[in-house]
Amino acid sequence: MCGIFGYIGSKRATPILIDGMRRLEYRGYDSTGIAIKDGDISIFKKVGKVSEMRSILPLNIQGTSGIGHTRWATHGGVTDANAHPHASASGDVVIVHNGIINNSRLLRASLMAQGIELKSETDSEALAHMIEIELAIDDDPEAAVRRALQKAVGTWGLCVLFKNHDLIVVARNGSPLVIGKGDGETFISSDGPTLSEFTDRVVYLEDGDIAVVTATSIKRSSLKGDSKKVEVTVLEKSWGEAELGAYEHFMLKEIHEQPDALRHCISGRLDRVRGNGRLGGLRLSPSDLAKVPHVRLIGCGTALNAAEIGQLLIEKLARIPAVTHIASEFRYNEPVINPNALHFVISQSGETADTLSAVKEIQLKGGQVHGVINVVGSTIARQCRQGVYIHSGPEQSVASTKAFSNMVAALTMFALQVGRSRSTSKERGQEIIHGLQQIPHLIEEYLENQGPIMEAVELVKNAKSVFFLGRGLSAPVAKEGALKLMEVAYIPCLAYPAGEMKHGPIALLEEGSPIIFIVPNDHVKEKTVSAIHESKARGAKIILIHEEGDDISLEGDVNIAIPKVHSLLSPLLTVVPLQLIAYHTAITLGHDVDRPRNLAKSVTVE
Ligand code: M6R
């Protein structure tokens, strides 16, 4: 999705903006641009990557303040003219904008009626002209931005540069923006973690905020004009490295980081003696947990698949009803909220608009929401104010891998904690803890001996479609495998609980159709074998993910063995070969695996 990076200080702004924008690249974008104030404001923008935009920059731009943008098209096609920044008619006001201005058609029509020529098809450009018109009234940049935004309906993360004022005005409403405080310099980013390369002191803006930023000061106020306190938060050092290192792609790096990411996630959160989870951030006592009537889990994409595993574990261990919801549907389905129930929202980025809307809906109806979030200080984490950080470290690849594992691990610890406050015995708890502590090592063992992944790639790479089938805890794993392969290899995939195959999807099978079966050694294994037989009888080629030493491997055409694992924890192992199949298929087909087409890392629009 769109990204913003801004700088004001005493250094040359251009290299800093380029560096910041390079760090935003992983979010997905189609065009980029920067505006640098060096006397006048100069704008350089272009369809394509940051490196392509960089190639059109003159070498001698000296300005010490500027704003940059990576655009993911919403209003208007992918063209140089639609790329940000956008300038006002005189060029004295220049903006970059994330979000959507819903009444832009009216605003644009009104500007055109005033004789203003609009140079792009975007909703954002209107803001630059509106601010300039307001600025003519009193030459007060903050007041001009405030009055212009009061006429706009929609969402914004907005940065405004003024030719005649040494400051940047920023505003936030429904689209994240964070200010980084340096020594004699100030940074602005739509993505908090990117600031950690420049400073560890940040100011999170809230919806409805406007801030006036200079090299040495930050002044914060509300859209109405009331002044607000500037609270500086010190960023924790993230354990993960956002650089590629020896890996060719972030997706592969992040798959390999899973053992360490899991160690970080479970560290200090397991009480072996009592066989219990110890998730302090939940702020729930055992007696609170004992009274929970039901749990709802909400997320999108990979987070939703992790939530489905969490749902099954909560029911198994805690014996309370749990249900999963697609975040984008949740608030439109008029949900009935029980204030005693627990609601978990799961999100890697902590910025997903659909998930954030669900949080607000639940809170509005008096419900309690806990976040299961990776990015510290992200909007959803701050909106929930309670929950669990999953500590995956920075995840750069659009296709989520290590965040999935840590979401599952965090939900497993939660299920254990509720379970122990109700019916789960200490011995069962200790057994699960032992199993969880083995997982990082087992993943390492598997990654050292990955099995015939490339044989699986050969079967799927030219397939019309690929089925992913599993039962019980492996059904959401099948969904996750299908999502990964679709995202990065652009192959249509279908994921089903294996028993559902015969109720319809089996009609699609032809001679040679590849099916990936996820069959750990659990209580539904034998049931899945029936689906394998039914599929083979119709000519399907079977790729089998199974536990080592299991004679079920006789059933597969390609057999990928994972180490033996506790049956409740199998998703943490079975997902890894699926991630590798997706990665290697995309690479074999020549796709940009870290930045798959049309996708964005963090989806900040509804
Ligand atoms: O940041 P979030 O976890 O809230 O993101 C949710 C989905 O957009 C995300 O999981 C998406 O499906 C990934 N690209 C999956 O690999």
Side-chain angles (χ1 to χ4, degrees), residues 300-303 346-352 355 380 398-401 407 480 483-484 487 599-603:
C300 308
T302 284
I346 298 119
S347 175
Q348 187 287 129
S349 62
E351 301 294 349
T352 303
T355 311
I380 298 176
V398 165
S400 186
T401 52
M407 287 165 181
E480 178 58 11
L483 176 63
K484 286 293 90 89
E487 274 187 298
L599 289 174
K601 180 64 182 165
S602 113
V603 186

Side-chain angles (χ1 to χ4, degrees), residues 136-189:
I137 299 171
D138 51 10
D139 200 30
D140 176 344
E142 181 186 353
V145 171
R146 176 170 290 111
R147 287 194 297 269
L149 288 179
Q150 283 167 347
K151 294 180 184 147
V153 178
T155 54
W156 52 81
L158 177 73
C159 270
V160 194
L161 203 56
F162 297 85
K163 181 185 162 201
N164 299 318
H165 298 269
D166 284 333
L167 48 79
I168 299 175
V169 177
V170 301
R172 169 189 170 141
N173 191 43
S175 189
L177 216 50
V178 185
I179 301 171
K181 223 171 140 42
D183 293 325
E185 55 188 353
T186 308
F187 307 85
I188 302 144
S189 179

Side-chain angles (χ1 to χ4, degrees), residues 533-548:
H533 290 163
E534 288 154 16
S535 305
K536 284 200 328 192
R538 282 146 187 99
K541 288 279 180 209
I542 309 298
I543 298 162
L544 201 62
I545 314 292
H546 64 89
E547 285 183 30
E548 64 196 4

Side-chain angles (χ1 to χ4, degrees), residues 84 95 108 111 115 214-216 221 225 254 356 425 469 498 501 537 554 570 576:
H84 295 217
I95 63 123
R108 285 173 61 96
L111 290 165
T214 69
T216 53
S221 60
E254 287 158 8
L356 179 61
S425 69
L469 302 179
M501 182 70 173
L554 298 171
S570 65
V576 184

Side-chain angles (χ1 to χ4, degrees), residues 446 450 453 456 468-469 474 477 515-521 532 542-548 550 552 556 558-562 570 573-578 581:
Y446 169 70
Q450 300 176 4
I453 296 288
F468 288 74
L469 302 179
S474 300
V477 176
I515 305 187
I516 301 183
F517 274 96
I518 299 116
V519 203
N521 200 1
I532 296 178
I542 309 298
I543 298 162
L544 201 62
I545 314 292
H546 64 89
E547 285 183 30
E548 64 196 4
D550 190 335
I552 195 180
V558 174
N559 294 298
I560 300 174
I562 53 152
S570 65
L573 260 297
T574 51
V575 77
V576 184
L578 304 184
I581 290 171

Side-chain angles (χ1 to χ4, degrees), residues 267-286:
S267 159
R269 289 169 158 179
L270 292 169
D271 179 344
R272 274 191 91 148
V273 176
R274 292 185 180 80
N276 202 354
R278 202 161 44 193
L279 296 171
L282 294 179
R283 302 207 189 105
L284 293 167
S285 67

